[in-house]
Amino acid sequence: MTRLHRPLPKSIATVSLSGTLPEKMEAAAAIGFDGVEIFESDLLTFDGTPNDIRALALTLGLSITCFQPFRDFEAMPDPQRARNMDRAERKFDVMQALGCELLMVCSNVSPLTINDDARAAADLAEMAERAHRRGLRVCYEALAWGRHVNRWRHAWKIVQEGNHPALGLLVDSFHTLALNDDPSGIADVPADKLFFVQLADAPRLSMDVLSWSRHFRNFPGQGQLPVADFVRAVLASGYRGPLSLEIFNDEFRAAPARLTARDGLRSLLMVEAEAGGTVLPPPPAFDGVEFLEFAVDDEHAIRLGETLRGLGFHHAGRHRSKSVDLFRQGRVNLILNSEPDSAASEHFQFHGPSVCAMALRVDDAAAAIERANGLLCPEWRERIGDGERRIPAVRAPDGTLVYLVQPAPTGRTIYDDDFNLTADTPPDALVTAVDHVAQALPMGRMDNFVLFYHAVFGFAPEQLWEIADPYGLIRSRTMVSPDRSVRLPLNVSESRETATGRFLTTYAGAGVHHIALATDDILRTLERATARGSRLLGIPANYYEDIGAKWGLSDQRIEQLRQHNLLYDQDENGEFLHAYTETFDGRFFFEFVQRIGDYQQYGAANAPVRMAAQAQQRPNR
Ligand code: MG
Ligand code: MG
């Protein structure tokens, strides 16, 4: 990989991770961070001395990049002003014991603080002078909710007025971008006065900025703020200090520290490259889903094969050396893997019949793997047999294999290589392609998956939907490839009783929970499926009364939908018809979809109806 610059050191604030202070530091070091910001409350609750932390940091090879926060310092009236200087001296004692040379002061939020920049500058200069005598430095940050100082330019003006070599500026992407402030001017701050850079992203939410910041920050690439633009301005200044993550997020505080730390480092590597600081190969161009692989045993292979025949698939081949079958329809390839003693059988033991791998068609698999490697996602090397083609793969956060299939220029396919294919393809394919593959995620893991698909593959997150299941709420967000040929709805349930929640319990983890198949003629597709004995999910009659009125559909149209258990949606761009199969072994199901016009959604408005119908089918709760 060529680099434009040496990458900047990577740091993370201990407040971003769960656990005790030593656990947080161990996680950061294990994942590959260069340093940590010590959040004071983490130190206060640590059952040891600052010297212990200094020794641990040394052992772990971590630098302590910053000690924070020092609040309500500048521009106070007396006697608070004098007391604050004493307070600063005590912090300096702690910092020297810690082996940390940089103190972060955030702009004053106290009702007592005086609106006087000259006074603020003088106070900070005096603090910096006291720090300087001990070989320490002070940086000043504008909090978005600071009483008088809440913009980085204002903080920078005060730092300039303070005019002390040990006084510099801290810029934080959240505080800047949350106020829609323009970060481009940071490029003009002299690098030796820009002491520290903190990064955080966040979803766009309408709430007060303090609550937004304290609970909903997330890593760059997980939210909707233009963090890469911010980093571009920082790099343009010539800044060579750490990029440090400072994330207050309730879910991160509950998640395993290493998982969060890995996401954090991945997000920094991604955003630094996006900002032009380093070079990563761009994400590949995608051309849809090449195949889905199911882990099954012999019995489930037979039953799932029957199910697939009912849906219009034909048995297209048997693997040359393994107990693996290929079913095909249109461009859709479904592989049933019942090979004993394989990765698939391991997956089956653990999860039951389930999707264990997904293959995506890409234009450049080698570059895609190089990008993945650069983002802490190493190539996964599956055992292969003699003469089999190795397909490059990475693992999604839930362990699902994601193969990257680059079509050969000769037109020879992976199936030609590995399978004994049946001679002819039946001409009656009504299904054309995989429309979307929906996954159920464990609680609290949405951001984790969003970052994986965004960073590694360049997929973009779509709007977040909150869907009512009869037994709880499901949050759904779809990750889509830029050309929209790969669409992956990700569903998270906060309750174990919802369809998504039950899926996770039954499945012992995350995984594919439905596969939507695109067709240009959904009525014929459903008629054929029914004729072949497929069981479709029954939709309550009340639904049809409702949509008839909602969309002004003709009686004839409504009757047609009702007869086929079809669900209906429309938006300003087109219409959407979809129907579901019954669930296979209570685990996953198929969906037929027909998009008419330029409808780009997934019928989320109908999801509650589907989930209620599925809940009705369950023998008992
Ligand atoms: Mg900050
Ligand atoms: Mg769907």
Side-chain angles (χ1 to χ4, degrees), residues 15 61 70 83 192 205 232 285 335 346 398 554 574:
V15 70
F70 196 99
R83 260 193 250 141
D192 65 340
L205 299 171
R232 198 169 292 118
I335 291 172
E346 223 165 88
D398 61 336
S554 72

Side-chain angles (χ1 to χ4, degrees), residues 436 438 489 514 516 578 580 591 593 602 610:
H436 60 271
H514 76 263
H578 58 143
Y580 296 94
E591 178 183 13
V593 312
Y602 310 88
R610 185 254 295 167

Side-chain angles (χ1 to χ4, degrees), residues 37 68 104 106 141-143 170-175 198-200 213 217 246 248:
E37 292 176 45
Q68 66 127 323
M104 185 257 256
C106 49
E141 172 188 50
L143 287 183
L170 182 155
V171 290
D172 178 313
S173 65
F174 180 86
H175 292 296
Q198 290 177 320
L199 299 180
S213 171
R217 286 186 181 213
E246 187 199 32
F248 305 87

Side-chain angles (χ1 to χ4, degrees), residues 21-52:
L21 184 52
E23 286 167 351
K24 292 165 189 249
M25 292 170 67
E26 279 154 13
I31 295 305
F33 278 95
D34 303 296
V36 289
E37 292 176 45
I38 301 272
F39 208 72
E40 188 174 28
S41 63
D42 283 324
L43 187 64
L44 296 179
T45 55
F46 167 62
D47 184 23
T49 67
N51 265 312
D52 296 338

